[in-house]
Amino acid sequence: MKIKVWTDSNNRLLNWANADENRPVGPTDEGFEFIEVDDAVGLYENHASIIDGQVVPDAGYDPDADRPTPEASPEQQMLAALALDVAQMKAVKSSDLL
């Protein structure tokens, strides 16, 4: 697949987008370059370089490490606790009917 990439002066990948498959590979006058890749694996903006038309991800970069783990707000925690209490009360009530 062909993509267009924007890099800084050190060939660091700043941004990328899908490109028309009919475009020729190489740099453009518009400030980006067309390259061909097999898939989008390794296209980590600010964590990869474009060297000789190839994407080279930073060694040891873990894209999942940058994502913060979502935490429930105090309100969400209270609602979850309340829902659990209600479910437990319904379960007890249902078992009394048997």
Side-chain angles (χ1 to χ4, degrees), residues 13-61:
L13 179 63
L14 300 176
N15 198 359
W16 70 275
N18 290 318
D20 181 353
E21 290 296 322
N22 297 321
R23 295 294 301 252
V25 173
T28 67
D29 293 336
E30 292 94 4
F32 54 86
E33 178 179 357
F34 288 102
I35 64 172
E36 192 152 353
V37 296
D38 292 331
D39 51 38
V41 174
L43 292 171
Y44 307 125
E45 295 167 351
N46 299 313
H47 295 283
S49 296
I50 305 299
I51 300 173
D52 295 328
Q54 301 294 315
V55 178
V56 181
D58 292 351
Y61 174 66

Side-chain angles (χ1 to χ4, degrees), residues 1 71 73 76 79:
M1 72 186 221
E71 294 183 24
S73 69
Q76 290 170 322
L79 286 172

